[in-house]
Amino acid sequence: MQLRFGIRTKLLLSILAILFVSYSTLLYSSMKTLNASLQTELDRNLATNLKYARSQYLDQAEIAKFSMMQAVVSQTVQQRLRERDSAWFSTRIKRWHDVLPFVDLVVVVDPQEKVLATLQGPEKNGPMELPAMVKQALASKRAILSTELLSGEFMCRAGVPGYCERPGSEALVATVAVPVIGTDGSVLGCVVTGDILNHHPNLPGKLQEVTGNNVEVTLTQRGLRVASSLPARVRESYILSPKVLDVLERGEVYRGRTDMGAKSYETIIDPLLNSRGEFVGSLSVAISTETVTNSRRENLQYILASAFLGIICSFAMAYFASRHLTGPLRQLAMSARRIEEGDLDQRVVGHQRDEVGMLASSFNNMAESLKERDGIINKKTGDLQELNEQLEKMVEQRTSALSMEMGRLEAVLTSLAEGVVVTDRDNLVVLFNPAAQQLFELVPHRVVGQSVERLCEMTGFCNVLEQVSDKAQREPRCGKKEVTVKGKRLHVNTATLQDEAGEFAGMVMSLRDVTKEEQVDRMKTEFISTVSHELKTPLTSIKGSLQLLLTRSKWLTDTERQLLTVCFRNTQRLIRLISEILDISGIESGGMIFNFKPLCIGELAVYAVEEIKSLAMGREITIVNTVGEHLPMVFGDSDRLIQVMTNLLSNAVKFSPEGKVVMVTAEQEGNYVVVSVADRGRVIQWSDRDKLFKKFQQIESTERNKIGGTGLGLAICKEIVERHHGRIFYTAAKEYGNTFSFTVPIIGETDAKG
């Protein structure tokens, strides 16, 4: 017999089923959320306590760092360090130790990493092996704080008691290396301080006073305990397992659950790395899981009790709700049936202010909406038609604007003096301007629409047109090439076109005939070279005659001697200008011989400064040469490199205000030595920087009007540097000052090429 249930029974059973599923889901989600919340809180406590512990165990080292950084800026300390005054530093170290009594070692070294003084006094036992972080501090010119493992021998030599009897031992030290930087930026030495963490077994206990008794803090050295807040019976057996050490040695944080004694702990272990990134120890924070377990048990009891009471109350409420809702639902069903039969004017009468009343109101609103829908659709149709008409007008306006823009573009391309060829994605010619017609000697109707290969057959310009048909040109980039076709020298510029999707859409090629320009330039160069050769010999004779007259003619009057001096000075200037012209001509023609050999860039800088010294003294300009002897040997021609430095120094002195400083510096960058000459003159304008390394180009300025020249100096420097496989470039300061730099390869990089 099939059971039939009424709406009241079905509603009651449905409510009970929903309540059962809801409470089951709520119980499951509550337990899962509770566990996740407890675990999140545990993770947050571990991370917070670890962060606090790490900051506190280096607290004293940070104090020492900032104290030493204040001390080393003293002019007295820097002067004593320049004098290598070991006795003075021995007294000063004791005063520093009085101010920082927690510091266990203090060592002062010079730039060559030689120890000057320790806590024991002046170092007299020979060189001492220093931590690697000292070299890093001297090289980077900044203070470094790191946790280091220092040998017992170093600790003994540094004056730490108790380590001389244990020469093979090690100590975990919070080490600080503070470089001493002079006012000129040079490194004068370094001060090294250390806080031995092995001497602070109570440090985790102090941290525990802040974090709470349920948090255990442990500091290890290579996996062996140094200091811990654990009980004595657990502390002695605390050794990190090989599995944990493997994770820490990779520089990663270990996280997991461990058993210490009779208790289970959630542990996070942070590796301690030295300045070279090597594993030296660890700092761990552990929180007992007993509190989490008790909290989980208590919350489970509360949740189960609440669920039981909720189910009883929900059952009673479901029973009364089913009885209350049955009557209105029957009336709603009858009204809905009449609406289903087609009586759209039927309205449901409902006075309840609950969901049933809302449902009745929804039925009534639905009927009203059906009547209004037809009117709304008709209105929207009219609006769409109006919008369509507006869109057509906009399309017409845009089409007209595009046509006008195409006309402008066509006029520009037609008036261009350079030939322009444009292809599409299939390498078919779509544009061929009049200038290109003259170059190819073809009319447009025979070219447009043809493939590049067909155009090559008609013109014979295959070596030019392959720039367009080359498949490598389909990459989104621009290119420039010089080619010779039928005796014509052409500059070919190519650029790819892309569509909205970034795909290849064609190519634009610009052709310019530079044959006549190169002929004129070559004729000009040959004429200048010939004239210079013809003028140098008579000018040399004139110079010798004027010099003889000035040295041996005692009967000359002051006016005559002054006129002869002016003639002699102008003759020297003409000979110098002609020599520069001959130099640039010789370099370009390959007639200048370079004698390459290993050179010391520091010696070349000294020679160049000596040559320009008199000119600088005349303008009261100081030349500071900071090029050191520590730089590697370079491979080049000494006379030519001195010529480059002298030219750059001469320009810096000429165009710097009187009383300023010109700096000469050099440093190694990769396989090159970069030599720089910096002045404090007015910054060269952007519009003039393209003229710097071109022949016969001079920059207009007030100083240039006073000082003559041919505009060949920097061009000669550029040719000489490029013959050395280097490059020369210009850098401007933000306000005042210009820097000219050039590179020279070090030994081993260019000798094979040369």
Side-chain angles (χ1 to χ4, degrees):
M1 181 178 177
Q2 186 177 5
L3 296 177
R4 298 183 64 183
F5 298 100
I7 187 172
R8 182 183 300 174
T9 305
K10 291 180 180 179
L11 182 59
L12 178 60
L13 293 177
S14 299
I15 294 174
L16 291 177
I18 292 173
L19 290 174
F20 177 76
V21 174
S22 300
Y23 274 104
S24 300
T25 305
L26 179 61
L27 181 61
Y28 173 77
S29 61
S30 298
M31 291 303 301
K32 190 171 182 180
T33 303
L34 176 63
N35 291 333
S37 177
L38 293 175
Q39 187 64 35
T40 302
E41 184 65 23
L42 183 62
D43 294 343
R44 186 183 298 110
N45 290 339
L46 281 173
T48 302
N49 290 321
L50 178 63
K51 182 177 180 181
Y52 174 75
R54 186 165 188 122
S55 65
Q56 291 300 312
Y57 99 93
L58 290 176
D59 185 46
Q60 293 182 345
E62 289 285 353
I63 295 174
K65 172 184 173 181
F66 288 109
S67 298
M68 289 298 99
M69 290 176 65
Q70 293 293 329
V72 298
V73 298
S74 171
Q75 295 293 334
T76 304
V77 173
Q78 296 179 7
Q79 181 62 30
R80 295 291 184 175
L81 194 55
R82 288 190 181 93
E83 297 173 357
R84 308 292 196 273
D85 194 342
S86 300
W88 185 87
F89 274 108
S90 299
T91 305
R92 177 63 64 171
I93 286 176
K94 293 179 180 178
R95 292 176 60 184
W96 289 341
H97 188 261
D98 293 339
V99 176
L100 305 170
F102 53 83
V103 174
D104 298 303
L105 64 91
V106 183
V107 177
V108 178
V109 300
D110 61 7
Q112 288 74 35
E113 302 179 15
K114 179 180 179 182
V115 178
L116 299 179
T118 65
L119 281 172
Q120 290 182 339
E123 177 60 28
K124 300 179 180 179
N125 297 326
M128 179 189 298
E129 183 179 359
L130 299 174
M133 63 180 297
V134 177
K135 296 181 180 180
Q136 297 180 9
L138 292 174
S140 63
K141 297 184 181 180
R142 61 183 180 85
I144 297 178
L145 191 155
S146 175
T147 304
E148 302 284 338
L149 274 178
L150 302 182
S151 63
E153 180 182 357
F154 176 80
M155 304 294 286
C156 176
R157 296 282 297 278
V160 181
Y163 284 90
C164 294
E165 296 79 8
R166 297 178 295 168
S169 61
E170 290 182 329
L172 191 67
V173 183
T175 312
V176 177
V178 179
V180 182
I181 310 300
T183 56
D184 57 352
S186 61
V187 179
L188 304 178
C190 185
V191 178
V192 183
T193 66
D195 183 11
I196 303 175
L197 301 177
N198 306 68
H199 293 175
H200 302 287
N202 297 326
L203 176 61
K206 296 179 181 179
L207 299 176
Q208 192 184 47
E209 293 178 1
V210 178
T211 57
N213 293 329
N214 62 332
V215 179
E216 305 294 347
V217 184
T218 303
L219 187 66
T220 67
Q221 172 183 329
R222 295 187 186 274
L224 300 178
R225 178 190 57 80
V226 173
S228 177
S229 62
L230 292 169
R233 64 181 183 278
V234 181
R235 185 187 310 168
E236 298 299 331
S237 61
Y238 184 85
I239 300 177
L240 297 180
S241 64
K243 176 182 177 181
V244 177
L245 287 175
D246 182 59
V247 175
L248 297 178
E249 287 175 354
R250 295 198 302 266
E252 301 175 0
V253 178
Y254 175 79
R255 171 69 189 276
R257 182 167 294 185
T258 58
D259 294 329
M260 301 180 188
K263 292 184 178 182
S264 179
Y265 290 86
E266 191 74 22
T267 308
I268 182 171
I269 305 177
D270 193 17
L272 301 180
L273 307 178
N274 62 10
S275 59
R276 292 177 294 182
E278 300 172 346
F279 173 74
V280 297
S282 66
L283 179 65
S284 64
V285 175
I287 297 180
S288 175
T289 60
E290 182 178 356
T291 304
V292 178
T293 303
N294 294 337
S295 178
R296 185 183 295 111
R297 186 184 302 112
E298 292 176 0
N299 283 278
L300 179 60
Q301 293 175 358
Y302 295 148
I303 292 173
L304 292 176
S306 301
F308 178 75
L309 294 176
I311 291 173
I312 298 299
C313 296
S314 300
F315 179 80
M317 294 175 64
Y319 176 75
F320 290 107
S322 63
R323 291 190 61 182
H324 179 71
L325 293 174
T326 301
L329 287 176
R330 289 177 180 176
Q331 296 178 4
L332 183 61
M334 293 175 63
S335 300
R337 190 178 300 113
R338 283 195 290 267
I339 293 176
E340 182 182 3
E341 292 174 354
D343 187 6
L344 296 179
D345 293 328
Q346 178 66 35
R347 298 293 181 266
V348 178
V349 179
H351 302 287
Q352 295 85 356
R353 295 185 178 180
D354 53 8
E355 286 78 3
V356 178
M358 294 173 61
L359 182 59
S361 178
S362 297
F363 270 103
N364 296 332
N365 293 334
M366 180 182 64
E368 294 292 338
S369 298
L370 289 175
K371 290 184 178 181
E372 296 176 358
R373 188 65 53 87
D374 186 61
I376 295 175
I377 290 175
N378 293 332
K379 182 179 179 181
K380 292 296 182 183
T381 302
D383 294 340
L384 287 175
Q385 187 173 1
E386 183 180 355
L387 289 174
N388 188 27
E389 293 176 356
Q390 294 179 0
L391 182 59
E392 290 179 355
K393 292 181 180 179
M394 293 177 63
V395 170
E396 292 177 358
Q397 293 175 358
R398 185 59 179 168
T399 303
S400 175
L402 289 176
S403 300
M404 183 179 296
E405 189 67 25
M406 290 181 62
R408 293 174 182 173
L409 180 60
E410 184 177 357
V412 171
L413 293 176
T414 303
S415 62
L416 282 177
E418 296 183 354
V420 178
V421 180
V422 182
T423 65
D424 59 8
R425 64 177 70 251
D426 298 323
N427 273 344
L428 299 179
V429 178
V430 296
L431 180 64
F432 203 71
N433 75 334
Q437 299 172 26
Q438 295 179 2
L439 285 176
F440 288 93
E441 299 179 355
L442 290 174
V443 293
H445 72 272
R446 296 189 60 191
V447 178
V448 176
Q450 300 291 331
S451 65
V452 172
E453 291 77 9
R454 176 60 179 166
L455 184 62
C456 176
E457 294 176 0
M458 291 189 297
T459 62
F461 282 62
C462 296
N463 54 351
V464 176
L465 299 178
E466 68 182 5
Q467 299 293 321
V468 179
S469 61
D470 188 4
K471 301 301 181 183
Q473 293 292 336
R474 293 178 179 265
E475 301 179 1
R477 60 186 177 88
C478 299
K480 182 177 181 180
K481 188 176 181 180
E482 294 184 359
V483 295
T484 301
V485 178
K486 293 183 178 181
K488 295 181 179 180
R489 189 68 173 175
L490 301 179
H491 282 182
V492 183
N493 294 281
T494 59
T496 57
L497 301 176
Q498 292 180 313
D499 55 17
E500 296 179 354
E503 298 295 333
F504 174 79
M507 181 78 69
V508 177
M509 181 175 67
S510 173
L511 305 170
R512 185 165 68 93
D513 188 355
V514 296
T515 306
K516 294 182 179 180
E517 295 179 9
E518 293 187 352
Q519 290 177 353
V520 171
D521 187 64
R522 184 170 59 254
M523 293 173 61
K524 180 182 67 174
T525 303
E526 292 176 355
F527 173 75
I528 293 174
S529 178
T530 302
V531 172
S532 300
H533 276 288
E534 294 297 330
L535 290 177
K536 187 172 183 181
T537 301
L539 285 175
T540 303
S541 301
I542 293 173
K543 175 185 174 183
S545 301
L546 291 173
Q547 188 174 8
L548 180 63
L549 289 174
L550 288 172
T551 54
R552 296 187 178 183
S553 300
K554 300 180 181 179
W555 59 88
L556 294 175
T557 64
D558 292 340
T559 302
E560 293 173 342
R561 184 175 296 276
Q562 184 177 2
L563 292 175
L564 287 175
T565 302
V566 172
C567 293
F568 180 74
R569 184 167 60 251
N570 288 331
T571 303
Q572 284 184 313
R573 177 173 172 271
L574 287 174
I575 293 175
R576 182 171 64 253
L577 298 182
I578 292 174
S579 298
E580 290 181 353
I581 295 174
L582 293 177
D583 284 345
I584 194 69
S585 300
I587 294 174
E588 290 180 346
S589 63
M592 180 176 290
I593 299 175
F594 286 78
N595 182 19
F596 291 96
K597 62 182 179 179
L599 302 171
C600 175
I601 201 68
E603 295 180 0
L604 301 182
V606 172
Y607 294 148
V609 172
E610 286 297 326
E611 288 188 14
I612 212 69
K613 187 175 181 181
S614 59
L615 178 61
M617 292 176 64
R619 292 179 55 83
E620 298 181 358
I621 291 177
T622 303
I623 300 179
V624 179
N625 180 13
T626 62
V627 181
E629 300 293 335
H630 64 283
L631 294 172
M633 301 288 286
V634 300
F635 195 73
D637 188 317
S638 61
D639 294 336
R640 297 305 172 188
L641 291 179
I642 291 175
Q643 181 180 357
V644 173
M645 289 192 223
T646 304
N647 195 301
L648 296 181
L649 283 171
S650 175
N651 289 342
V653 171
K654 291 177 181 178
F655 301 111
S656 291
E658 295 185 359
K660 296 296 182 179
V661 176
V662 174
M663 295 289 297
V664 184
T665 60
E667 60 182 3
Q668 182 180 359
E669 289 186 2
N671 298 325
Y672 291 85
V673 172
V674 182
V675 182
S676 301
V677 176
D679 59 46
R680 295 294 295 171
R682 180 175 298 176
V683 175
I684 299 174
Q685 299 298 322
W686 279 103
S687 58
D688 295 330
R689 294 179 186 178
D690 292 338
K691 306 177 183 178
L692 287 176
F693 302 102
K694 294 182 179 180
K695 295 182 294 183
F696 304 105
Q697 295 290 337
Q698 296 183 353
I699 299 173
E700 298 298 331
S701 64
T702 56
E703 291 83 359
R704 172 66 65 183
N705 295 332
K706 299 177 182 179
I707 303 172
T710 61
L712 290 174
L714 291 178
I716 295 174
C717 293
K718 179 176 180 294
E719 295 291 340
I720 293 175
V721 171
E722 289 179 352
R723 286 292 299 273
H724 284 78
H725 305 286
R727 66 187 185 93
I728 186 169
F729 53 93
Y730 165 79
T731 305
K734 292 183 178 179
E735 296 181 356
Y736 290 97
N738 304 281
T739 301
F740 286 86
S741 306
F742 66 93
T743 63
V744 184
I746 62 175
I747 291 295
E749 298 300 325
T750 337
D751 49 2
K753 301 177 184 178

